């Protein structure tokens, strides 16, 4: 089953524990405004809570639409998933510059906007290509099972590797 863009975005927002206010609309706290023309603010409380997570990472620049649209029900491609994960980590500009390449046979097919994301997600071990063909398949839809594995590795990275990096930074720079 293909992973939808909106569902993956909400999962990433929850994984990074994006701080959101989960409150019912009142006069002081009105119903939030739609961020994209094709993503309406839900009526039910549970769906509105998910929307709050979605809105929080849109406001932080993790997600971007195109021409006012997000296409929430579209299948998420592998390169889009890599970009979202890397932006959520704040590492979108950490790829070497200039002229680096991924080790994948289909490196030339990776879109320019996604190149850093794919490279960094691979280097962090959060996303991998197909070991049999050495292809990343950037335009292939991400399945829900693949998305689950990616989110699991993303959470492991947040839990283990970021703590180690923080400790190393404290020891080396203080």
């Amino acid at each position: 089953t293909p992973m939808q863009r909106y569902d993956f975005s909400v999962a990433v927002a929850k994984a990074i524990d994006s701080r959101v206010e989960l409150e019912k609309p009142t006069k002081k706290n009105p119903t939030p405004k739609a961020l994209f023309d094709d993503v309406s603010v839900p009526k039910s409380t549970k769906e509105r809570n998910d929307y709050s997570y979605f809105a929080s990472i849109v406001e932080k620049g993790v997600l971007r639409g195109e021409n006012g649209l997000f296409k929430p029900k579209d299948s998420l491609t592998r390169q889009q998933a890599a970009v979202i994960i890397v932006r959520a980590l704040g590492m979108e500009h950490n790829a070497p510059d200039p002229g680096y390449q991924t080790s994948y046979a289909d490196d030339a097919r990776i879109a320019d906007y996604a190149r850093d994301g794919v490279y960094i997600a691979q280097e962090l071990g959060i996303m991998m290509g197909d070991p049999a063909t050495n292809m990343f398949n950037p335009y292939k839809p991400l399945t829900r099972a693949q998305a689950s594995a990616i989110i699991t590795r993303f959470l492991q990275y947040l839990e283990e590797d970021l703590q180690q990096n923080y400790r190393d930074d404290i020891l080396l720079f203080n």
Side-chain angles (χ1 to χ4, degrees):
T1 305
M3 186 68 180
Q4 293 181 338
R5 291 168 48 91
Y6 183 83
D7 293 339
F8 186 78
S9 302
V10 170
V12 169
K14 288 180 178 182
I16 61 174
D17 195 23
S18 188
R19 301 289 183 223
V20 297
E21 291 188 26
L22 304 176
E23 298 176 8
K24 292 185 178 183
T26 62
K27 288 184 181 182
K28 283 184 169 180
N29 182 25
T31 301
K33 186 176 99 173
L35 299 168
F36 297 102
D37 294 340
D38 58 349
V39 182
S40 59
V41 178
K43 301 282 186 227
S44 78
T45 302
K46 185 220 178 290
E47 290 174 343
R48 191 173 306 119
N49 288 345
D50 284 351
Y51 183 83
S52 296
Y53 281 101
F54 173 77
S56 73
I57 63 172
V58 169
E59 291 166 1
K60 291 176 180 154
V62 173
L63 301 176
R64 299 180 188 138
E66 192 172 320
N67 299 323
L69 301 175
F70 182 71
K71 301 178 184 173
K73 297 204 182 288
D74 281 8
S75 297
L76 183 75
T77 66
R78 292 178 47 78
Q79 68 184 358
Q80 290 170 337
V83 169
I84 291 169
I85 289 291
V86 170
R87 282 184 188 157
L89 290 169
M91 297 181 164
E92 61 269 22
H93 302 293
N94 287 3
D97 195 34
Y100 68 92
Q101 292 184 335
T102 67
S103 61
Y104 298 116
D106 58 351
D107 178 78
R109 292 189 57 224
I110 299 169
D112 288 340
Y113 83 89
R115 186 162 301 283
D116 285 1
V118 170
Y119 180 86
I120 294 167
Q122 172 199 1
E123 290 297 312
L124 297 176
I126 295 173
M127 288 186 76
M128 296 101 182
D130 182 345
T133 62
N134 191 33
M135 304 277 275
F136 184 75
N137 300 311
Y139 293 96
K140 187 175 181 180
L142 190 70
T143 66
R144 293 182 76 79
Q146 291 168 334
S148 177
I150 290 166
I151 294 291
T152 299
R153 287 190 294 269
F154 177 64
L155 286 168
Q156 288 171 339
Y157 178 80
L158 289 173
E159 187 174 305
E160 298 164 8
D161 294 339
L162 279 181
Q163 286 179 0
Q164 183 62 41
N165 289 345
Y166 179 76
R167 279 189 227 117
D168 291 347
D169 288 347
I170 294 298
L171 291 173
L172 296 174
F173 297 111
N174 279 338

